[in-house]
């Protein structure tokens, strides 16, 4: 009886696989070839749209396989889709970008469901309007500066509920930028936070007060290692290494006493078909 049951289950599985191929056609199988298996990675991702260039990123956490991400770029090197598998055979989340002149609509799928957001850019390529699940956010800039000095947020009814103003101080010796962000809400709330960004936009520090001098010495970008060090409010540090294309290749966190907490390593490959 057990053997008979196993045979029936096997036949049902085969029928389900055949039905899948019939329903989705050859395209569903062609998509699998985008993934390049390695010794630790045999994850198969679902079919994704063709692109001018497809990049595969495999992430290892503490030496173990963690995630595989495929990212498609168009001929202008704009991101057009991304798909991530967090575990073998399980698609975790993905997104798709559709461009129309100075506008872009992003369709996002994740564990929590499906959502969209719409972005508008100015003639310098800066984001000036974002419409998402929070409502509408409008960005204002000084002249040709790339960072906004004001961000105004409105709910789905068009009522303003928050205004964020930004002040920037650039340090040419380190390449870091210190930002003072002040938030005012419609209910009278007012708060200020400071954060420090490296030359690639990674946040190295974030708190309600400026980092002290001792922290500033240990925080920032190291030209020799091509790495940035971030100090967290609990005293721990996060260090990020980059490759020649400024992609993250290693990230590690150390406790306040300097002991290693965890690390992740990213490997990239061109899998364009």
């Amino acid at each position: 009886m057990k053997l008979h049951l196993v045979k029936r289950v096997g036949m049902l599985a085969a029928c389900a696989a055949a039905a899948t191929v019939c329903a989705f056609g050859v395209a569903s199988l062609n998509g699998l070839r985008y993934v390049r298996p390695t010794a630790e990675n045999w994850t198969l991702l679902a079919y994704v749209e063709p692109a001018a260039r497809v990049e595969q990123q495999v992430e290892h956490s503490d030496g173990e396989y963690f995630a595989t991400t495929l990212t498609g770029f168009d001929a202008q090197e704009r991101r057009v889709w991304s798909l991530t598998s967090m575990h073998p055979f399980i698609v975790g989340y993905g997104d798709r970008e559709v461009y129309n002149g100075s506008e872009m609509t992003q369709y996002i799928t994740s564990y929590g469901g499906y959502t969209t957001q719409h972005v508008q850019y100015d003639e310098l390529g800066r984001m000036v309007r974002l419409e998402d699940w929070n409502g509408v956010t409008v960005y204002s800039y000084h002249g040709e500066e790339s960072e906004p000095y004001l961000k105004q947020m409105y709910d789905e009814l068009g009522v303003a509920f928050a205004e964020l103003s930004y002040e920037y101080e650039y340090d040419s010796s380190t390449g870091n930028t210190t930002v003072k962000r002040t938030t005012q809400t419609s209910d009278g709330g007012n708060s200020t936070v400071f954060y420090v960004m490296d030359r690639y936009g990674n946040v190295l520090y974030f708190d309600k007060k400026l980092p002290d001098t001792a922290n500033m010495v240990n925080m920032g970008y190291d030209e020799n290692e091509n790495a940035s060090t971030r100090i967290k409010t609990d005293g721990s540090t996060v260090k990020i290494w980059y490759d020649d294309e400024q992609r993250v290749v290693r990230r590690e966190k150390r406790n306040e006493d300097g002991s290693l907490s965890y690390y992740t390593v990213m490997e990239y490959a061109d899998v364009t078909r």
Side-chain angles (χ1 to χ4, degrees), residues 4-248:
H4 181 66
L5 179 61
V6 171
K7 288 182 178 179
R8 287 181 59 84
V9 172
M11 291 179 64
L12 288 173
C15 290
T20 301
V21 173
C22 291
F24 296 99
V26 178
S28 64
L29 297 180
N30 284 343
L32 301 181
R33 65 179 181 171
Y34 274 117
V35 177
R36 176 177 298 169
T38 66
E40 298 83 14
N41 169 33
W42 288 94
T43 299
L44 298 182
L45 297 181
Y47 175 73
V48 289
E49 298 179 22
R53 183 172 70 85
V54 179
E55 180 181 86
Q56 175 180 290
Q57 174 187 319
V58 178
E59 182 173 347
H60 303 265
S61 180
D62 290 334
E64 299 294 330
Y65 164 74
F66 180 67
T68 297
T69 298
L70 297 181
T71 304
F73 301 87
D74 63 12
Q76 289 76 45
E77 278 297 305
R78 298 177 301 188
R79 174 193 173 109
V80 290
W81 54 256
S82 180
L83 189 65
T84 296
S85 171
M86 300 300 293
H87 300 285
F89 303 104
I90 300 178
V91 176
Y93 53 89
D95 58 76
R96 181 171 61 91
E97 290 76 27
V98 177
Y99 299 88
N100 181 20
S102 61
E103 301 182 5
M104 183 270 284
T105 301
Q106 184 179 39
Y107 303 89
I108 305 170
T109 303
S110 65
Y111 295 110
Y114 174 83
T115 187
T116 63
Q117 62 181 24
H118 187 72
V119 182
Q120 293 182 2
Y121 302 93
D122 64 9
E123 63 280 0
L124 298 179
R126 303 173 300 191
M127 182 167 59
V128 293
R129 188 178 188 274
L130 169 66
E131 183 176 352
D132 60 11
W133 51 92
N134 289 318
V136 175
T137 303
V138 178
Y139 299 82
S140 301
Y141 301 84
H142 285 303
E144 297 185 355
E145 292 183 3
S146 59
E147 301 294 341
Y149 70 87
L150 186 66
K151 183 167 72 172
Q152 297 168 300
M153 305 181 70
Y154 304 85
D155 62 20
E156 63 276 6
L157 299 178
V159 179
F161 66 87
E163 182 174 282
L164 290 75
S165 59
Y166 298 82
E167 299 177 28
Y168 301 88
E169 183 178 342
Y170 175 71
D171 186 343
S172 58
S173 62
T174 63
N176 295 338
T177 300
T178 301
V179 184
K180 177 183 178 182
R181 188 188 73 190
T182 303
T183 303
Q184 294 182 323
T185 58
S186 57
D187 59 4
N190 190 301
S191 62
T192 299
V193 296
F194 298 89
Y195 57 94
V196 179
M197 298 185 300
D198 68 8
R199 63 187 64 190
Y200 303 119
N202 296 303
V203 177
L204 306 175
Y205 174 89
F206 186 90
D207 203 351
K208 294 181 180 180
K209 59 182 180 180
L210 281 168
D212 57 38
T213 305
N215 282 346
M216 291 293 287
V217 172
N218 300 319
M219 177 177 63
Y221 183 80
D222 188 322
E223 292 279 358
N224 296 324
E225 290 191 273
N226 197 19
S228 293
T229 301
R230 170 188 176 188
I231 296 180
K232 305 187 70 175
T233 55
D234 61 2
S236 62
T237 61
V238 176
K239 192 169 183 177
I240 303 173
W241 285 263
Y242 308 90
D243 63 10
D244 293 337
E245 298 180 37
Q246 303 311 324
R247 299 174 300 190
V248 176

